[in-house]
Amino acid sequence: MKRTRLISLILRYLVLALILLFLLFPLYWSILTSFKTNMQAYQFPPTLLVQNPTVQAYVKLFTENAEFFVYYRNNFLVSGLTAGFTTAVAILAGYALSRFHFRWNAMVAGVLYASQMFPIVSRMISLYGLLGRVNLLNTLTGLTLALIATMVPFTTMLMSSFFDSVPMDIEEAARIDGASRMQVMTRVVIPLVKPGLVSVLIYSFLMTWDDYLHCATLIQSDQLRTLSTGVALRYLGELSYDWSLVNTISVVAMLPMILIFFFFQKYMVKGLVAGAVKG
């Protein structure tokens, strides 16, 4: 029995190790290629180790490619604003869905859930026409508003589940002590769902960071493009790529996401667990 259990445990960890290797290999390959010259990047068969590592691609990126940092700045600006406004709207809308059980509550929730069933490309034509009519086409403001509209339905339902996990007795006690509805929400309820709040904020930022379709559709000016679109249109040629530079760009672009996961992963886990438990 013990031997069978040991073999089962070994097989389980072996499968997990293979899955982890499969998931981390693209990251390893990008970092590896960023320290190669472009000729070494095209070498066949490819090597799994760098024989003569070089930082030539990093030097080239920081000295000759000023456009990349324009895209980088735009990405931070759009992602940060989208995450902030989305979280604010999700707090108010999620609290309303959780606490105010009005006649159309179930229908509103159903519409929010149903909105996630349609692919993003299905609403691009409508967004393009709408932003064109209000003169927000080819602006970072219009792009941010479009991304907020995309993120709000899911984050609202997510915040609603977090608020559902807070017992009503706590709010009723605060109301008896004389607190207003807004004071109850800001001073009592929100501190209790802080891990969920951080989860929604980080989720909104991460999902916006690598957005391609919205920017490619709504932005035409090169100086207003975000990272994914700018890199795709400027650094990926039709016939040949500078793979060393492209992978260097990928590594630099991944750094904020890696740091966010490293420092905030415990809050995301707490938030997901809190949102899964009610009462």
Side-chain angles (χ1 to χ4, degrees), residues 71 75 208-212 215 225-233:
Y71 306 147
N75 221 50
T208 310
W209 180 262
D210 60 351
D211 174 77
Y212 176 85
C215 183
R225 289 191 176 114
T226 53
L227 201 55
S228 298
T229 310
V231 170
L233 296 179

Side-chain angles (χ1 to χ4, degrees), residues 146-207:
L147 290 169
I148 290 173
T150 301
M151 298 300 302
V152 160
F154 179 75
T155 54
T156 296
M157 300 308 301
L158 199 58
M159 280 305 308
S160 177
S161 68
F162 295 139
F163 287 128
D164 286 340
S165 65
V166 179
M168 287 291 295
D169 297 342
I170 297 177
E171 292 190 43
E172 292 172 357
R175 294 296 297 274
I176 291 174
D177 290 338
S180 65
R181 174 69 74 175
M182 186 59 67
Q183 288 175 328
V184 170
M185 185 182 73
T186 56
R187 299 182 182 181
V188 178
V189 180
I190 289 181
L192 294 175
V193 296
K194 191 179 295 183
L197 183 65
V198 175
S199 297
V200 170
L201 184 67
I202 295 175
Y203 172 81
S204 302
F205 188 87
L206 295 180
M207 293 301 292

Side-chain angles (χ1 to χ4, degrees), residues 30-39 41-42 54-69 231 234-237 240-253:
S30 293
I31 296 174
L32 180 75
T33 308
S34 70
F35 289 102
K36 294 180 177 181
T37 64
N38 199 41
M39 291 299 294
Y42 276 98
T54 176
V55 294
Q56 176 183 348
Y58 288 92
V59 173
K60 184 177 179 181
L61 176 64
F62 282 90
T63 58
E64 301 179 15
N65 294 274
E67 300 85 2
F68 168 77
F69 295 98
V231 170
R234 177 172 289 273
Y235 296 102
L236 298 180
S240 64
Y241 304 154
D242 187 343
W243 280 120
S244 180
L245 179 62
V246 169
N247 281 275
T248 301
I249 290 172
S250 299
V251 171
V252 175

Side-chain angles (χ1 to χ4, degrees), residues 4-266:
T4 304
R5 187 174 301 175
L6 178 62
I7 294 175
S8 176
L9 187 64
I10 292 174
L11 289 176
R12 185 182 306 172
Y13 280 108
L14 181 61
V15 171
L16 290 175
L18 290 174
I19 294 174
L20 182 63
L21 179 64
F22 176 78
L23 293 176
L24 291 181
F25 184 77
L27 177 61
Y28 167 76
W29 191 255
S30 293
I31 296 174
L32 180 75
T33 308
S34 70
F35 289 102
K36 294 180 177 181
T37 64
N38 199 41
M39 291 299 294
Q40 291 174 337
Y42 276 98
Q43 181 180 343
F44 184 84
T47 57
L48 295 177
L49 295 174
V50 184
Q51 297 178 351
N52 298 303
T54 176
V55 294
Q56 176 183 348
Y58 288 92
V59 173
K60 184 177 179 181
L61 176 64
F62 282 90
T63 58
E64 301 179 15
N65 294 274
E67 300 85 2
F68 168 77
F69 295 98
V70 174
Y71 306 147
Y72 212 68
R73 180 201 63 196
N74 293 340
N75 221 50
F76 264 112
L77 183 63
V78 172
S79 298
L81 289 174
T82 300
F85 279 102
T86 297
T87 304
V89 173
I91 289 173
L92 298 175
Y95 185 80
L97 281 176
S98 175
R99 293 299 189 251
F100 303 129
H101 297 287
F102 46 88
R103 181 180 179 183
W104 304 105
N105 189 284
M107 181 175 293
V108 172
V111 170
L112 291 175
Y113 279 122
S115 66
Q116 303 303 299
M117 298 171 59
F118 299 97
I120 297 176
V121 68
S122 65
R123 54 180 179 264
M124 281 295 103
I125 296 177
S126 300
L127 273 174
Y128 189 91
L130 179 62
L131 293 178
R133 284 194 292 271
V134 296
N135 296 319
L136 288 177
L137 200 61
N138 197 34
T139 64
L140 292 181
T141 302
L143 176 60
T144 302
L145 291 174
L147 290 169
I148 290 173
T150 301
M151 298 300 302
V152 160
F154 179 75
T155 54
T156 296
M157 300 308 301
L158 199 58
M159 280 305 308
S160 177
S161 68
F162 295 139
F163 287 128
D164 286 340
S165 65
V166 179
M168 287 291 295
D169 297 342
I170 297 177
E171 292 190 43
E172 292 172 357
R175 294 296 297 274
I176 291 174
D177 290 338
S180 65
R181 174 69 74 175
M182 186 59 67
Q183 288 175 328
V184 170
M185 185 182 73
T186 56
R187 299 182 182 181
V188 178
V189 180
I190 289 181
L192 294 175
V193 296
K194 191 179 295 183
L197 183 65
V198 175
S199 297
V200 170
L201 184 67
I202 295 175
Y203 172 81
S204 302
F205 188 87
L206 295 180
M207 293 301 292
T208 310
W209 180 262
D210 60 351
D211 174 77
Y212 176 85
L213 189 58
H214 285 90
C215 183
T217 304
L218 304 176
I219 300 294
Q220 288 82 45
S221 174
D222 185 61
Q223 294 298 313
L224 296 177
R225 289 191 176 114
T226 53
L227 201 55
S228 298
T229 310
V231 170
L233 296 179
R234 177 172 289 273
Y235 296 102
L236 298 180
E238 293 183 3
L239 300 178
S240 64
Y241 304 154
D242 187 343
W243 280 120
S244 180
L245 179 62
V246 169
N247 281 275
T248 301
I249 290 172
S250 299
V251 171
V252 175
M254 284 188 292
L255 283 178
M257 303 299 99
I258 295 173
L259 292 175
I260 286 175
F261 268 107
F262 182 78
F263 288 107
F264 295 103
Q265 60 176 336
K266 63 178 181 180

